[in-house]
Amino acid sequence: MKSVRVPAYAKVNLCLDVLGRRADGYHELRTIFQTITLHDTLELEANRAGRIDLRIIGNPALAGGPGLDNLVHRALDKLRRELRLRQGVRAVLTKRIPVGGGLGGGSSDAAAALIGLLRLTGKRIEAAHLAEIASGLGADVPFFLHGGRALGIGRGDETYPLPDVPRR
């Protein structure tokens, strides 16, 4: 079976301004995201079982568990439905980034799942629609579709690429 391996890089916020609460309950943000070298690895392989099989290795305590609430599982499920795929996916997530630590570990993994499933299947989707799917998974998931350095506004899901800074 065909398989793909996708790195899921962590991020830091180089600055973060919280401007107040929005009507939708989120906070209005202005931030600069920057990916760093710390990363998880997601391996995807198609299977004929028609379901998502997620296994977490490395440090599973960092991932919050392999259940249906895991962002990788949710991202794969959402994109499989969107693409109307019958085939299942076996996913192995090697965790190094803590979820909930402000480094974007879960969000980065979700973006890697979206990118990986598109590579695995050879399917294409409009960038704006993919960003919309990513935003539905979490506010900073769209940033991880491209990574690098970017200005994040709104909930953090509206991003604009910035020039990279010298490596430190």
Side-chain angles (χ1 to χ4, degrees):
M1 288 265 165
K2 183 180 174 185
S3 66
V4 297
R5 179 181 293 187
V6 183
Y9 291 97
K11 61 99 176 143
V12 293
N13 294 74
L14 298 176
C15 69
L16 174 62
D17 295 323
V18 180
L19 305 175
R21 195 171 274 314
R22 298 161 35 122
D24 61 8
Y26 288 93
H27 287 92
E28 184 70 23
L29 304 176
R30 298 289 181 272
T31 187
I32 296 184
F33 296 122
Q34 175 67 59
T35 50
I36 59 175
T37 57
L38 175 65
H39 68 281
D40 294 341
T41 303
L42 181 64
E43 296 179 58
L44 300 176
E45 181 178 278
N47 71 35
R48 300 183 202 279
R51 68 178 192 278
I52 298 166
D53 176 27
L54 173 60
R55 187 168 64 113
I56 300 170
I57 59 176
N59 188 343
L62 298 177
L68 300 178
D69 289 335
N70 183 285
L71 276 172
V72 169
H73 193 284
R74 289 178 43 213
L76 291 171
D77 184 55
K78 197 167 194 175
L79 191 55
R80 275 183 68 230
R81 290 174 194 252
E82 181 71 29
L83 298 173
R84 295 187 174 112
L85 297 176
R86 288 185 174 181
Q87 71 187 23
V89 181
R90 185 179 70 84
V92 178
L93 176 63
T94 304
K95 283 300 297 174
R96 294 177 197 90
I97 307 168
V99 173
L103 298 172
S107 296
S108 179
D109 295 340
L114 296 174
I115 292 165
L117 188 57
L118 289 172
R119 286 184 191 163
L120 182 68
T121 61
K123 302 279 186 183
R124 294 180 183 255
I125 192 169
E126 287 185 31
H129 188 54
L130 184 60
E132 184 180 307
I133 291 169
S135 181
L137 294 165
D140 56 356
V141 177
F143 163 72
F144 287 107
L145 294 174
H146 305 288
R149 188 165 75 120
L151 170 67
I153 62 173
R155 298 183 314 147
D157 59 341
E158 187 178 337
T159 61
Y160 299 92
L162 296 170
D164 283 330
V165 294
R167 190 176 177 133
R168 298 173 197 223

